Amino acid sequence: MGNRTRRGLSRGDRRRNERLRRLREAVPEEAAILGIDLSQAKQVAVVTGPGDQTLARRTFVCSPWGVDQVIDWGLEVAAREGVGPLVVACEPTGHRWKPVLERCRRRGLTLVCVQPLLVAREREREDLTRDRSDPKDATLIAHLARELRCYLPQVPEAGWARLRHLGARRAAKVRERGAARQSLRDLLECYWPAALEAAAKGLDSTTLLACLLVSTDPEEIRRMRLGTLLRRAARALPATGATRLDRRVVRRFHGAASDPRILPFEREGASERAAFALADLLHAARQVAECEDRMVGVLDALGYLELACSIRGLSPVGAAAILAETGDPTRYDSPRAWAKHAGACPRDNASGRFQGRTRVSGRGRPLLRTAAWRAAWPLVQHNPAFRARYQRLVGRERNPLNDAQARAAVAAALLRQLHAVLTRREAWDPEVAGGKGVVRAA
């Protein structure tokens, strides 16, 4: 009977049971829970005992770096009430939980974190209202920790922590680059649309950017000779990161200065603003390139660059952007955990005879989901195994996916396969990826 019960457990059941076992070891039933609602200058703490009884409550006026006094108070309360050991619980809000983790590690105490979304849902479940206060949140954090609705935070190694910071900076600079690019495009479409038409690639043309570096004022370009524009554009070209000047684009750009589609009253102000947007675009692009070079260097130092790039179509930058969000792949016990961590895993919507539309969860790390989504595009173009997967998803007779859905599925498959490659230290095999080999959980 016991064997049949065990065989009846799903893989998810077994993983959940193991996770609960580890959490129960960290948070014993007889433990005292010190729940802390962290903020910048005030820490509200509650100590609860077995049965979720509130033993003490206190407010400390200090920063998270002054949490030592909070922990001392919690230990005193636990000793006075005769309960223990003491377990500290908090929300992972911003960076404030990190000093708490460091202090707990020094003292040999366990810290568990409770997701803010769970605390928000628990507020309403507690008394069917949405009232909110720091003491109530601290109590709810302690209750959720005792119910094991928490997780054990991990301290990353220095290399992984650096990669995470570089990934965050790259994401911010990519947004800045995109904003500057869109601003430049909007301005040119407003007062000088012919300039954008000078290059088939638009603002993707480095020659066009070099011409705009010479001047964003069509009147100034119109008064300039073509030879002068060619020389100045050639001198400006290195600032765009390119080495080859397309003379055809320069000639069309020079001719665009005589195009009648120019707004005279907008020209002076808009051209000045366009020059600022162009400078912002090139500056952000240089910062993105510098950040990407450092990310690839860190990934190489961690020993994962060659393995990650064994997946045809996955660039070093794409792999670094994914690993900047996941951290050390050995932390995860299953490839599916990465797709879940990204919020790219499908979730059922069924009850009885009702079968609703299945969607991805959307929970998890948005930047990881974005990195996987961006990496999926070149995979579909250059990797035969992923291209076949995409075509099969959009072309199947039953429940075919649209383009965006199929690319999301490819992104989730990339995360699973990349995890398997990195944790097993085996190069990516197209035979296995195409279903001709056997790789568990890949």
Side-chain angles (χ1 to χ4, degrees):
M1 183 68 179
N3 291 336
R4 287 198 299 271
T5 303
R6 181 172 181 82
R7 285 198 298 269
L9 294 179
S10 68
R11 177 168 37 198
D13 291 332
R14 293 193 294 271
R15 291 181 59 206
R16 181 176 182 274
N17 290 342
E18 177 61 22
R19 177 173 59 84
L20 291 176
R21 184 192 63 78
R22 292 195 300 265
L23 284 173
R24 183 51 73 194
E25 290 180 354
V27 189
E29 294 182 358
E30 67 277 9
I33 308 294
L34 173 60
I36 309 176
D37 185 65
L38 298 171
S39 63
Q40 183 174 359
K42 182 180 72 172
Q43 320 306 324
V44 179
V46 171
V47 179
T48 64
D52 278 338
Q53 295 181 351
T54 301
L55 304 179
R57 186 193 311 273
R58 186 173 174 183
T59 300
F60 296 82
V61 180
C62 64
S63 73
W65 288 101
V67 77
D68 280 320
Q69 56 184 313
V70 183
I71 297 176
D72 289 337
W73 171 78
L75 290 170
E76 290 175 5
V77 172
R80 184 178 68 239
E81 298 294 335
V83 295
L86 183 70
V87 176
V88 183
C90 68
E91 292 177 300
T93 50
H95 61 275
R96 298 187 181 103
W97 64 275
K98 296 180 181 180
V100 182
L101 176 60
E102 192 268 342
R103 294 298 190 270
C104 288
R105 285 168 59 86
R106 283 188 180 183
R107 293 167 173 258
L109 298 177
T110 298
L111 173 71
V112 294
C113 288
V114 179
Q115 288 290 358
L117 180 61
L118 285 178
V119 178
R121 295 289 186 266
E122 191 69 10
R123 290 193 199 108
E124 188 171 357
R125 196 188 77 160
E126 180 77 7
D127 55 9
L128 304 181
T129 67
R130 295 184 179 179
D131 62 319
R132 176 180 180 180
S133 67
D134 293 342
K136 181 176 181 179
D137 283 358
T139 304
L140 294 178
I141 290 170
H143 290 175
L144 289 168
R146 189 174 299 281
E147 296 173 3
L148 304 186
R149 300 172 68 188
C150 56
Y151 67 93
L152 293 167
Q154 295 188 1
V155 179
E157 296 179 2
W160 289 108
R162 184 187 175 204
L163 185 61
R164 171 67 61 87
H165 284 291
L166 287 172
R169 175 172 173 80
R170 175 182 177 270
K173 294 305 174 182
V174 167
R175 288 193 295 269
E176 290 181 14
R177 183 182 64 184
R181 176 191 176 91
Q182 188 60 45
S183 177
L184 178 59
R185 179 187 297 278
D186 290 343
L187 288 166
L188 289 173
E189 288 177 347
C190 172
Y191 80 98
W192 192 13
L196 285 174
E197 299 169 1
K201 296 182 179 179
L203 293 179
D204 287 333
S205 169
T206 54
T207 298
L208 177 59
L209 294 179
C211 292
L212 289 170
L213 278 173
V214 175
S215 179
T216 55
D217 188 347
E219 183 62 25
E220 183 177 351
I221 296 296
R222 189 181 63 82
R223 293 195 301 265
M224 193 180 301
R225 291 185 177 181
L226 177 59
T228 303
L229 177 60
L230 281 167
R231 289 192 298 271
R232 292 187 179 180
R235 288 196 296 268
L237 188 63
T240 67
T243 56
R244 179 179 176 277
L245 189 72
D246 191 335
R247 292 175 173 268
R248 295 170 300 176
V249 173
V250 178
R251 286 193 292 269
R252 288 195 292 266
F253 182 81
H254 187 266
S258 302
D259 192 279
R261 294 173 296 169
I262 296 176
L263 297 177
F265 59 90
E266 287 277 357
R267 178 184 60 81
E268 184 175 355
S271 62
E272 182 180 26
R273 186 179 165 198
F276 289 138
L278 177 60
D280 292 341
L281 171 61
L282 295 177
H283 179 64
R286 287 192 295 270
Q287 290 183 317
V288 169
E290 178 187 3
C291 195
E292 290 176 346
D293 288 341
R294 296 190 181 196
M295 291 174 66
V296 172
V298 172
L299 190 61
D300 190 19
L302 291 170
Y304 285 112
L305 180 60
E306 185 176 352
L307 282 171
C309 292
S310 67
I311 301 179
R312 181 179 175 183
L314 179 62
S315 68
V317 173
I322 291 174
L323 288 169
E325 291 300 310
T326 63
D328 189 351
T330 59
R331 293 170 44 203
Y332 305 85
D333 58 359
S334 169
R336 288 177 172 82
W338 271 16
K340 184 177 180 180
H341 194 45
C345 53
R347 287 303 183 205
D348 286 337
N349 181 22
S351 177
R353 296 183 178 179
F354 170 77
Q355 179 62 54
R357 184 177 180 183
T358 301
R359 301 175 183 271
V360 296
S361 68
R363 304 295 186 186
R365 299 191 66 85
L367 291 181
L368 175 57
R369 194 161 58 249
T370 300
W373 170 263
R374 289 173 175 167
W377 285 75
L379 285 178
V380 172
Q381 292 178 333
H382 305 296
N383 190 302
F386 282 98
R387 182 167 60 247
R389 177 187 290 266
Y390 169 84
Q391 293 172 347
R392 184 170 63 254
L393 291 172
V394 297
R396 62 191 183 188
E397 294 183 2
R398 183 179 179 183
N399 191 26
L401 303 185
N402 60 35
D403 177 71
Q405 293 171 330
R407 291 184 186 275
V410 168
L414 168 63
L415 291 175
R416 295 192 298 270
Q417 295 186 25
L418 180 59
H419 177 275
V421 165
L422 299 181
T423 54
R424 296 173 184 177
R425 293 283 180 173
E426 297 178 359
W428 182 79
D429 187 348
E431 295 285 330
V432 174
K436 297 180 181 179
V438 178
V439 173
R440 293 175 297 174

